[in-house]
Amino acid sequence: MPDILTFETLQKITGSIALDSKQARNAQSFLLALNRYGYGLGLSQPHRLAFLLGQVLLENGAFRYDREIWGPTAAQARYDTRTDLGNTPERDGDGYRFRGRTGMQITGRANYRAFTAWVRRLDPTAPDFEADPDAVNLDPWEGLGPLWYWSERGLNPLADRGDIRAVTRRINGGYNHLSERKRWTLRAQLVLLGYGATDLRAFQRAAGLVVDGLPGPKSHAALHAALLTLPPVKPPKPKPETSRIRALLAQFLPWLAD
């Protein structure tokens, strides 16, 4: 069965990624989580995947960053006492300890605690990320950061509507870098539909639109409508347990039971 997203397809969206680079390792972390857990989160549907990628690729610089670049800046220095993020009111290092990590920058003690609870619903063996924040950057947990943001903010229905402004506001709290989020979403949409990442003209021509290469409202609506017609990627069939296979074989090959 195919993955929800392969590294090769991702590179068509992002441009070439050196295989031995940190960027590639970050991308592989995301793909590991997406292809393992994305089916259960509704992200095997191409139109949702395109909207997710549009946000993720903006937030982490196309997988160049998996943690916050720390100065500290004046704003970062204030994190230490940000009780709204669950950090303590004392200057005890919480700001740096719970700095932004993963491809969507999980920030603050409360969010690390919430991420732990969410991940443990998927895998009860997951670490306590509040107790060990650095573990967030280990596989398979790192790639789950963006999926947690997406799932916990209820973004699938907004993606179903094709409302990129609403998706952006719920992730960002505003509309920062909206044009870049739209650009990444457009690239993802085109690639998932089988076009080149910048070949909007070819799509417009095929869709019977004015061929001007400009991503206006009609082109956005047509891209979204086209993606809605694609079937979701089917999850792989679970492999039978080895012990069960051995038990079945033992009925015919008694020596296996020894």
Side-chain angles (χ1 to χ4, degrees):
M1 291 289 182
D3 289 331
I4 293 175
L5 185 66
T6 65
F7 187 72
E8 290 72 24
T9 300
L10 180 63
Q11 285 194 101
K12 292 178 182 178
I13 300 168
T14 62
S16 180
I17 297 175
L19 293 179
D20 60 347
S21 65
K22 180 175 176 58
Q23 184 184 11
R25 292 192 294 274
N26 292 342
Q28 293 287 11
S29 293
F30 172 75
L31 293 173
L32 173 65
L34 176 68
N35 292 322
R36 182 179 297 180
Y37 300 105
Y39 298 99
L41 300 173
L43 292 169
S44 61
Q45 298 190 45
H47 68 281
R48 292 176 177 175
L49 178 60
F51 270 66
L52 170 68
L53 289 170
Q55 299 293 324
V56 170
L57 292 169
L58 179 281
E59 292 286 342
N60 60 31
F63 298 107
R64 290 178 177 83
Y65 309 106
D66 66 350
R67 65 202 72 193
E68 187 172 0
I69 299 172
W70 195 263
T73 64
Q76 288 171 330
R78 291 193 291 272
Y79 284 176
D80 210 40
T81 56
R82 285 278 301 274
T83 55
D84 59 312
L85 294 175
N87 296 342
T88 62
E90 295 79 28
R91 293 195 174 278
D92 55 5
D94 270 5
Y96 180 75
R97 185 177 303 114
F98 298 105
R99 64 193 181 279
R101 292 181 178 87
T102 82
M104 289 286 268
Q105 299 289 293
I106 298 172
T107 305
R109 181 186 289 271
N111 282 321
Y112 278 77
R113 185 184 307 131
F115 183 61
T116 299
W118 183 82
V119 173
R120 283 182 170 175
R121 292 200 295 272
L122 300 176
D123 186 341
T125 69
D128 180 345
F129 300 111
E130 183 182 1
D132 184 9
D134 287 328
V136 166
N137 284 124
L138 301 177
D139 288 335
W141 322 121
E142 178 172 296
L144 281 169
L147 305 191
W148 171 68
Y149 261 90
W150 187 268
S151 175
E152 289 299 279
R153 283 157 179 75
L155 294 172
N156 278 339
L158 300 183
D160 292 346
R161 295 193 334 234
D163 193 342
I164 193 169
R165 286 181 61 85
V167 169
T168 297
R169 182 171 177 79
R170 198 164 289 184
I171 285 178
N172 177 255
Y175 303 106
N176 292 331
H177 309 293
L178 179 60
S179 62
E180 281 297 291
R181 296 173 198 271
K182 286 182 176 180
R183 184 179 73 85
W184 281 119
T185 302
L186 174 62
R187 290 176 67 92
Q189 288 173 320
L190 286 167
V191 168
L192 293 176
L193 285 168
Y195 295 91
T198 60
D199 204 358
L200 178 58
R201 289 177 181 272
F203 172 78
Q204 290 173 328
R205 189 175 298 110
L209 301 171
V210 174
V211 181
D212 56 9
L214 300 176
K218 289 184 178 179
S219 291
H220 281 301
L223 284 161
H224 185 63
L227 283 166
L228 285 171
T229 68
L230 298 182
V233 179
K234 293 183 178 180
K237 293 181 180 179
K239 296 179 181 179
E241 295 180 9
T242 303
S243 58
R244 185 182 174 192
I245 295 174
R246 287 181 64 87
L248 290 171
L249 288 175
Q251 296 177 25
F252 305 98
L253 302 171
W255 56 269
L256 275 176
D258 297 335

